[in-house]
Amino acid sequence: MTKQKQTALNSYFTVKQYKLYDWVNINLKKDKLIPEKHQDPIENTEKSKIVSKDHDNIYSLMKPVCPYCNSKKYVKHGFNQKLILIKGMKPFKIRLQRYKCKNCDGYYQTQLDKILKQNSTYNNEIKEYPSIINALQRISLRNISKIIELDWNKRPSPQSIKNWLSKTIQNRNNDNKTDYSGYYNYDEQYVKINGKWMFRLALFDVKNNILVKEKIEEKLNPQTVKSFLKKIQDKIPIIAITTDHKPYYRNIMDKLRIKHQLCIFHLKKELNTKIKRIKRKNKLNQEEIEQIKNIKNLIFEIIDSKNYNESKKLFNKLKKEINNYSSSFIKFITKKFLKNFNRYTNYLKDKNITKTSNKIENYFRNTLPKAIKRIFKTKKGLKEQITLQKQKWETKQKIKNIN
């Protein structure tokens, strides 16, 4: 027996379908019956020439083009959901139209490049937020993620925050163009990476109080230092550099034709150490001890003079007095100080030259303290840490300059 189609009765369409709240005698708020409204992640979607949104909240390309073969022939192939994070709102999902290319069988989908990059849940505002926090105060990565959760209702991983910080700071450094003064401190810091000692070479601008350049090297020798300074000199002017007392620094500065100032703090420290050793090893009478003290005090007066002419007069006086003595201490003074008198007094000829290398040593202590400089496993991890601390340093200097 064949089945026959039966038409629906017209009276069926007049039946009213009731819901539970039709019998409840309360005033319901309209907002509770309307789905929660979210801010449109695309600015001026209706006027957009690239992306449009249909009644099902699916974002589609106005003119889809395959990114692999540039073909305009396509078939719609479902959609993907994308989580949207907006400050002050609960996270919500949208739909992005997927396409299949008829030419190369490749798959692609609608991209919201204005707020999100491909394969990224977090927008640029969230990614730049950790760098602002990091620049102002010392906060752990885990606590930064908790702060982000308060505003965006989603907590990113500490590793994601570290990656954002490194990338954001690197982009800012590439955009920044600084006019350096030409007066610098140079020094090295010993660092341990995965149990192996390496060296952090750095050049520091003493007038602007900022780092010029730094590099991690596996070996430290005169060729490494000269190559490091030469590459910088090819890009920016170097008038004078203040260093500590490593012997090969003098030859490097002379070859590069750079004014060289030796740190007077290191000289005073070495003189006091030498005198203690002489007293400990030799039996000196009171007269010899007084002679050594007089020579030391005269050297201190020379390097602490108010001007170069005064320093030169005291220096000539020292040479005459030394001729009357003969001891290991006098040999040390001759080799250490007399032959390098001009390198200790260059700061008296040019007031922009610093007489000590304290500024770069202070920078080392702040950006990579002794307590953590031995814990790193890779060069990349060490560089990322230095980059983050460098940003904090530069931000502090900007605040000081404003105040």
Side-chain angles (χ1 to χ4, degrees):
M1 182 176 177
T2 59
K3 292 183 180 181
Q4 293 181 355
K5 292 182 179 180
Q6 295 180 355
T7 58
L9 296 176
N10 294 336
S11 60
Y12 287 178
F13 292 103
T14 62
V15 177
K16 183 177 179 181
Q17 183 177 359
Y18 289 94
K19 294 185 179 179
L20 180 62
Y21 54 75
D22 289 330
W23 286 276
V24 180
N25 189 19
I26 58 174
N27 293 325
L28 293 174
K29 295 182 179 179
K30 293 182 179 180
D31 292 344
K32 290 187 177 181
L33 303 178
I34 300 174
E36 185 178 359
K37 295 183 179 180
H38 299 290
Q39 179 181 341
D40 197 323
I42 304 176
E43 297 178 1
N44 300 323
T45 308
E46 296 178 357
K47 300 180 181 179
S48 176
K49 298 180 181 179
I50 302 174
V51 179
S52 65
K53 185 175 73 171
D54 61 17
H55 60 282
D56 290 327
N57 288 328
I58 298 177
Y59 291 86
S60 307
L61 293 169
M62 297 288 286
K63 297 179 180 180
V65 177
C66 178
Y68 308 108
C69 66
N70 295 324
S71 173
K72 296 182 180 179
K73 296 180 180 180
Y74 65 91
V75 176
K76 290 186 177 181
H77 196 270
F79 58 85
N80 285 332
Q81 288 189 338
K82 190 76 173 179
L83 185 68
I84 299 297
L85 303 174
I86 295 177
K87 194 171 183 178
M89 297 181 64
K90 292 182 179 180
F92 61 94
K93 293 181 179 181
I94 61 173
R95 297 174 177 178
L96 300 177
Q97 182 68 57
R98 293 186 74 230
Y99 303 92
K100 180 180 179 181
C101 179
K102 288 184 176 181
N103 186 38
C104 67
D105 291 335
Y107 294 90
Y108 58 98
Q109 72 176 26
T110 306
Q111 298 297 333
L112 303 180
D113 295 331
K114 289 187 178 181
I115 61 163
L116 288 175
K117 291 186 177 180
Q118 189 173 3
N119 302 323
S120 177
T121 301
Y122 301 93
N123 58 34
N124 293 332
E125 184 184 6
I126 300 175
K127 290 181 179 180
E128 291 178 359
Y129 197 61
S131 66
I132 299 172
I133 299 173
N134 178 72
L136 296 175
Q137 55 187 330
R138 188 184 295 273
I139 299 179
S140 67
L141 299 177
R142 195 171 298 279
N143 286 335
I144 291 176
S145 69
K146 291 179 182 179
I147 293 172
I148 291 175
E149 186 181 21
L150 293 175
D151 287 333
W152 280 276
N153 296 291
K154 185 172 175 63
R155 183 186 297 187
S157 67
Q159 184 60 47
S160 295
I161 292 174
K162 188 175 182 180
N163 295 339
W164 298 343
L165 282 168
S166 301
K167 194 167 184 180
T168 303
I169 295 170
Q170 185 179 2
N171 293 336
R172 288 180 181 175
N173 291 338
N174 293 336
D175 296 337
N176 290 340
K177 292 183 180 180
T178 308
D179 294 328
Y180 298 107
S181 65
Y183 297 92
Y184 310 106
N185 281 176
Y186 169 80
D187 203 356
E188 301 108 10
Q189 184 183 30
Y190 287 73
V191 294
K192 186 174 278 189
I193 302 176
N194 200 22
K196 182 180 179 182
W197 283 108
M198 294 190 184
F199 309 92
R200 178 189 180 191
L201 282 60
L203 190 69
F204 189 83
D205 190 323
V206 295
K207 302 300 290 182
N208 296 321
N209 216 26
I210 57 173
L211 183 75
V212 178
K213 183 76 174 179
E214 62 185 343
K215 189 178 181 182
I216 307 298
E217 293 284 356
E218 294 184 2
K219 295 181 180 179
L220 181 63
N221 52 50
Q223 290 76 21
T224 305
V225 177
K226 184 181 177 182
S227 175
F228 174 74
L229 294 175
K230 184 68 172 64
K231 289 179 180 178
I232 299 174
Q233 192 181 36
D234 292 339
K235 296 179 181 179
I236 60 173
I238 299 179
I239 300 171
I241 295 180
T242 303
T243 68
D244 57 26
H245 293 182
K246 284 192 177 67
Y248 57 78
Y249 286 161
R250 302 162 199 167
N251 294 330
I252 293 172
M253 300 304 168
D254 292 341
K255 289 179 180 178
L256 297 177
R257 297 181 180 180
I258 299 171
K259 287 183 183 179
H260 186 204
Q261 170 69 38
L262 290 171
C263 178
I264 64 173
F265 174 77
H266 283 80
L267 176 63
K268 291 179 179 180
K269 189 177 179 181
E270 288 184 24
L271 283 175
N272 289 327
T273 303
K274 184 67 175 178
I275 291 171
K276 286 181 181 179
R277 288 178 181 174
I278 291 173
K279 287 181 180 180
R280 188 168 60 248
K281 291 183 178 180
N282 303 291
K283 294 182 179 180
L284 302 177
N285 55 42
Q286 191 63 33
E287 183 180 354
E288 290 174 329
I289 292 173
E290 287 298 323
Q291 288 175 354
I292 290 174
K293 284 185 179 180
N294 291 335
I295 293 171
K296 184 193 80 169
N297 292 333
L298 185 55
I299 292 173
F300 284 9
E301 286 183 35
I302 293 170
I303 58 180
D304 290 331
S305 298
K306 294 180 180 179
N307 57 67
Y308 180 75
N309 292 332
E310 181 184 340
S311 178
K312 188 69 175 177
K313 289 178 182 178
L314 293 172
F315 177 70
N316 292 332
K317 180 182 176 182
L318 175 66
K319 286 198 295 185
K320 290 179 181 178
E321 290 188 9
I322 281 180
N323 292 331
N324 300 325
Y325 309 119
S326 59
S327 65
S328 59
F329 181 68
I330 300 304
K331 291 179 181 178
F332 173 78
I333 294 299
T334 303
K335 182 179 179 181
K336 194 73 180 177
F337 180 72
L338 297 185
K339 292 183 178 179
N340 299 297
F341 168 72
N342 288 325
R343 296 183 192 272
Y344 287 107
T345 55
N346 271 327
Y347 81 97
L348 296 172
K349 300 175 186 177
D350 188 344
K351 297 301 180 182
N352 291 318
I353 299 175
T354 55
K355 59 183 178 180
T356 67
S357 57
N358 291 349
K359 287 194 173 184
I360 192 169
E361 291 178 359
N362 182 40
Y363 175 77
F364 282 155
R365 282 193 297 271
N366 279 272
T367 55
L368 196 65
K370 187 177 181 180
I372 66 169
K373 71 177 187 177
R374 304 184 183 192
I375 65 173
F376 297 95
K377 299 299 181 183
T378 63
K379 266 190 183 183
K380 183 180 178 182
L382 174 61
K383 289 178 180 178
E384 287 177 352
Q385 174 67 17
I386 291 173
T387 303
L388 297 180
Q389 299 305 318
K390 177 187 171 185
Q391 191 209 17
K392 288 182 183 178
W393 175 274
E394 291 179 349
T395 305
K396 287 180 181 178
Q397 302 313 312
K398 288 178 183 178
I399 293 172
K400 285 181 181 178
N401 293 335
I402 293 171
N403 297 334

